[in-house]
C-alpha cells in the first residue's frame, strides 16, 4: 500500500471522532519465548556459547542480558568479554545447574527441589538471576529444619538472603543444645561460633552447655583453634560455671594447648 492510498483510506474511514482499538495478544510473550527456545536448540541466530564442565550451551546474548545483570554487564561493558563468542565457567558452575538457569531464561519456568535448591541459590546469586535466587531461598525457608539450619545460616549469609538467614539464625539459637555436638557446628567458622554463644537469645538451660560447645569446637581442630580459645571464653559467662568446670578448663589449657604457666603451676 502506497502512502497516498493509506492517507485516502484514513480520510474515508474517519467519522470525526476518535475510534481506536487496542489489540493485545496475551499469549504473545509465551509464544515469543517458545520460538526463541526453539531457535536456541536449533542453534539459529545464537551469538554466544557458554561452557560449564565439559558441556557447551549456545545462546542469544539479548536473552541472557534481559534475565541477568551479570550478563548485561558482561556484554555491554566494552571489555574483551563483551566481544568474545564464548564464555567459559570451567568448574565454577555445574553444567546441570547452568542448564536449569538457561531453561528458565527461555521459558520462565523452573522446577526447584531438595536436590537442586542450594545450587540454584548459589548460581542465581553468582550470575545475578535474582528471581531464581529468591525463589530457591523461599523453597529452603519452607524446608528449614534443625538438622540443616546451621548450613542454611552460612549459605544465606554468603548470598545475602536476609529472610532465610534470620529464620535459620533463630532456629540455631532455639536448638543450640542439640546442635553444638554436630559436625555442622564443629565446622563453623570462629566468628559464627562467637556470635551464637554470645547471643542474649541463646536458649540453653545453663552455661555449662555453652562452655562445652566452645571446648568441643576448639578440640575439633586443636592444632589451629587453640589460639581462638581466649576470644571464645570471653563469650562464656564463667562466673555461672560450677567449680569443677573451671578446674577442667585449667587442665584443658595446660595439657591440651600447651599454654600452662611456667614453674609447674599445673
Amino acid at each position: 500500500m502506497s502512502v497516498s492510498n493509506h492517507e485516502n483510506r484514513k480520510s474515508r474511514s474517519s467519522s470525526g471522532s476518535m475510534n481506536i482499538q487496542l489489540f493485545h495478544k496475551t499469549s504473545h510473550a509465551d509464544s515469543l519465548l517458545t520460538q526463541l527456545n526453539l531457535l536456541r536448540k536449533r542453534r539459529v541466530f545464537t551469538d554466544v556459547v557458554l561452557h560449564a564442565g565439559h558441556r557447551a550451551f549456545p545462546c542469544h546474548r539479548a536473552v541472557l542480558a534481559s534475565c541477568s545483570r551479570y550478563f548485561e554487564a558482561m556484554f555491554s561493558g566494552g571489555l574483551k568479554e563483551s566481544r568474545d563468542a564464548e564464555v567459559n565457567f570451567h568448574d565454577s558452575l555445574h553444567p546441570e545447574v547452568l542448564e536449569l538457569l538457561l531453561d528458565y531464561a527461555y521459558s520462565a519456568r523452573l522446577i526447584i527441589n531438595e536436590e537442586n535448591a542450594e545450587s540454584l541459590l548459589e548460581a542465581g546469586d553468582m550470575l545475578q538471576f535474582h528471581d531464581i535466587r529468591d525463589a530457591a531461598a523461599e523453597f529452603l525457608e519452607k524446608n528449614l529444619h534443625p538438622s540443616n539450619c546451621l548450613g542454611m545460616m552460612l549459605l544465606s549469609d554468603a548470598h545475602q538472603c536476609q529472610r532465610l538467614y534470620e529464620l535459620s539464625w533463630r532456629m540455631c539459637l532455639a536448638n543450640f543444645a542439640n546442635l553444638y555436638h554436630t559436625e555442622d557446628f564443629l565446622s563453623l567458622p570462629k566468628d559464627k561460633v562467637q556470635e551464637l554463644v554470645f547471643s542474649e537469645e541463646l536458649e540453653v538451660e545453663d552455661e555449662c552447655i555453652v562452655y562445652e560447645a566452645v571446648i568441643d569446637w576448639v578440640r575439633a581442630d586443636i592444632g589451629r583453634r587453640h589460639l581462638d580459645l581466649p576470644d571464645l571464653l570471653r563469650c562464656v559467662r564463667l562466673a555461672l560455671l560450677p567449680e569443677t568446670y573451671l578446674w577442667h578448663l585449667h587442665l584443658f589449657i595446660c595439657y591440651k594447648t600447651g599454654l600452662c604457666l611456667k614453674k609447674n603451676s599445673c
Side-chain angles (χ1 to χ4, degrees):
M1 179 188 302
S2 68
V3 173
S4 59
N5 285 339
H6 173 66
E7 292 298 329
N8 289 335
R9 291 187 180 185
K10 280 206 308 180
S11 300
R12 290 199 299 270
S13 64
S14 175
S15 62
S17 63
M18 291 297 292
N19 186 15
I20 63 175
Q21 175 182 331
L22 171 65
F23 172 69
H24 177 212
K25 185 178 180 181
T26 57
S27 62
H28 176 70
D30 284 341
S31 298
L32 182 63
L33 278 178
T34 299
Q35 184 60 28
L36 284 169
N37 204 19
L38 290 173
L39 293 174
R40 172 177 71 114
K41 292 179 178 180
R42 290 162 47 197
R43 303 193 177 194
V44 177
F45 305 133
T46 54
D47 51 6
V48 67
V49 180
L50 307 184
H51 294 272
H54 298 290
R55 294 185 59 185
F57 302 89
C59 302
H60 303 93
R61 291 171 185 260
V63 174
L64 297 179
S66 299
C67 298
S68 159
R69 297 251 180 115
Y70 176 92
F71 286 114
E72 180 185 8
M74 174 182 287
F75 297 145
S76 64
L79 300 178
K80 176 179 178 294
E81 290 80 3
S82 67
R83 300 185 297 274
D84 286 345
E86 298 186 349
V87 177
N88 198 334
F89 293 105
H90 301 286
D91 295 324
S92 64
L93 190 60
H94 196 283
E96 291 182 8
V97 177
L98 178 57
E99 185 174 30
L100 289 173
L101 295 180
L102 295 177
D103 286 343
Y104 169 78
Y106 281 85
S107 70
R109 292 171 175 83
L110 176 67
I111 294 177
I112 303 175
N113 56 42
E114 293 182 4
E115 294 182 357
N116 65 26
E118 293 184 35
S119 296
L120 285 172
L121 189 153
E122 293 173 336
D125 188 47
M126 170 185 169
L127 299 183
Q128 297 183 49
F129 281 75
H130 292 150
D131 289 344
I132 290 182
R133 181 199 62 187
D134 295 343
E138 183 177 353
F139 177 90
L140 292 170
E141 290 170 15
K142 295 176 181 177
N143 291 273
L144 193 60
H145 188 270
S147 64
N148 64 21
C149 62
L150 286 168
M152 290 301 103
M153 176 184 67
L154 294 180
L155 180 70
S156 57
D157 189 33
H159 298 285
Q160 302 174 343
C161 300
Q162 189 60 34
R163 177 175 165 79
L164 178 58
Y165 179 80
E166 291 175 357
L167 293 173
S168 303
W169 175 255
R170 290 201 291 267
M171 189 171 288
C172 291
L173 294 173
N175 294 274
F176 186 81
N178 296 319
L179 295 175
Y180 76 90
H181 51 75
T182 64
E183 287 299 320
D184 282 348
F185 177 81
L186 296 178
S187 62
L188 286 178
K190 173 191 171 184
D191 63 315
K192 289 303 176 189
V193 176
Q194 280 184 294
E195 289 178 29
L196 283 169
V197 300
F198 192 65
S199 174
E200 294 291 341
E201 299 176 357
L202 187 67
E203 298 183 22
V204 292
E205 293 182 358
D206 59 58
E207 201 67 14
C208 295
I209 293 176
V210 181
Y211 166 80
E212 291 172 6
V214 166
I215 295 299
D216 287 352
W217 184 85
V218 172
R219 278 177 170 161
D221 190 2
I222 196 168
R224 288 184 292 182
R225 294 179 178 175
H226 71 273
L227 297 176
D228 297 324
L229 184 59
D231 290 337
L232 292 173
L233 286 176
R234 293 189 185 97
C235 301
V236 181
R237 297 162 179 81
L238 298 177
L240 301 179
L241 294 176
E243 185 177 347
T244 54
Y245 274 76
L246 297 176
W247 177 244
H248 174 269
L249 173 61
H250 176 69
L251 293 177
F252 178 79
I253 293 175
C254 290
Y255 297 115
K256 296 296 184 181
T257 71
L259 298 179
C260 181
L261 296 176
K262 295 180 179 180
K263 298 184 179 179
N264 299 317
S265 61
C266 296

